[in-house]
Amino acid sequence: LLIDTSGSMSGEPLAQACRVLEALVDTLGDGDSLEMIEFSDAPRRWKRKPVRADAAARRDARKWLRALRASGSTEMRAALMEALAPLRGESQRQIVLVSDGAIGFEREIVADLLTRLPPASRLHTVGVGAGVNRSLTEPAARAGRGVEVIIGLGEDPEPAARRICARTAAPLVVDLVLEGSALVEHAPRRLPDLFAGAPALCAVALSP
């Protein structure tokens, strides 16, 4: 879990972000592992490495989240590198990035995801607040083959948590491929997984 604690998240946006993450923590069981990183001027870890999400760890995680305070600038790329650096090619991780998206280098973040996120891992984005920068949250989720969730201030965080959890469950089909003699290109380059009851959408360019 990656949570933005920069100055732009001060007040209710950070409180709402923490509510969403607490709701996600509450869905974990003893067989899951948990890792949390907060970031503003620099990334800071909850623990040095992922821990088993037993009852004691979940209580400590909620306490840590409630103690977070917002300040400083938004060094999101450093936090993303901190989260991706230990992942090997076969890693199967579900990364959730929670932010208002108030940055000016969206393309660099998306490029990093396309080149560094392991094929079996996924990244989901949660945009918090009334002015979420969807130029970041939407393409980042698409590059991470995850889901984008937008939650306003004062909204119930439970539906957002449930939607993310639904996408962390096993999909019906992974590693989708589009091919054919008329296909010129398609976007996104990495096709999304296929889940029951949800279409996998992409745009295609075909030759005449």
Side-chain angles (χ1 to χ4, degrees):
L1 305 178
L2 285 167
I3 180 169
D4 184 351
T5 57
S6 63
S8 66
M9 292 285 288
S10 182
E12 183 57 24
L14 180 58
Q16 183 71 313
C18 290
R19 292 184 197 107
V20 174
L21 290 185
E22 284 191 57
L24 284 172
V25 167
D26 288 342
T27 68
L28 301 177
D30 291 357
D32 298 314
S33 62
L34 175 62
E35 181 177 18
M36 295 193 295
I37 300 172
E38 59 131 334
F39 63 92
S40 55
D41 296 317
R44 289 169 290 275
R45 289 180 172 271
W46 166 55
K47 304 288 185 183
R48 291 180 60 188
K49 59 183 180 179
V51 301
R52 188 166 61 89
D54 58 18
R58 295 195 298 271
R59 283 195 301 271
D60 187 65
R62 288 191 290 268
K63 181 179 178 181
W64 184 80
L65 286 168
R66 291 167 188 171
L68 293 177
R69 298 293 180 267
S71 65
S73 59
T74 311
E75 296 296 333
M76 185 180 291
R77 194 176 187 191
L80 186 62
M81 292 301 98
E82 179 74 15
L84 297 180
L87 302 187
R88 301 180 300 276
E90 68 275 13
S91 296
Q92 297 182 353
R93 295 283 185 88
Q94 301 287 340
I95 302 169
V96 180
L97 170 64
V98 184
S99 173
D100 59 2
I103 62 172
F105 45 91
E106 299 92 341
R107 290 187 178 183
E108 288 86 347
I109 294 291
V110 172
D112 286 334
L113 288 170
L114 289 171
T115 58
R116 295 175 181 265
L117 186 68
S121 294
R122 300 291 181 266
L123 179 131
H124 315 278
T125 59
V126 179
V128 177
V132 175
N133 177 14
R134 297 196 65 194
S135 295
L136 169 71
T137 57
E138 185 176 14
R142 189 164 59 242
R145 285 177 288 175
V147 62
E148 177 203 30
V149 176
I150 304 298
I151 180 167
L153 302 182
E155 288 187 24
D156 182 0
E158 294 290 341
R162 286 197 299 268
R163 186 177 175 197
I164 294 171
C165 288
R167 289 298 295 266
T168 63
L172 298 177
V173 182
V174 298
D175 300 327
L176 293 172
V177 175
L178 273 181
E179 56 186 14
S181 59
L183 181 65
V184 177
E185 60 181 340
H186 61 75
R189 189 172 70 189
R190 289 182 174 180
L191 295 177
D193 300 327
L194 185 61
F195 289 82
L201 301 177
C202 67
V204 300
L206 303 177
S207 60

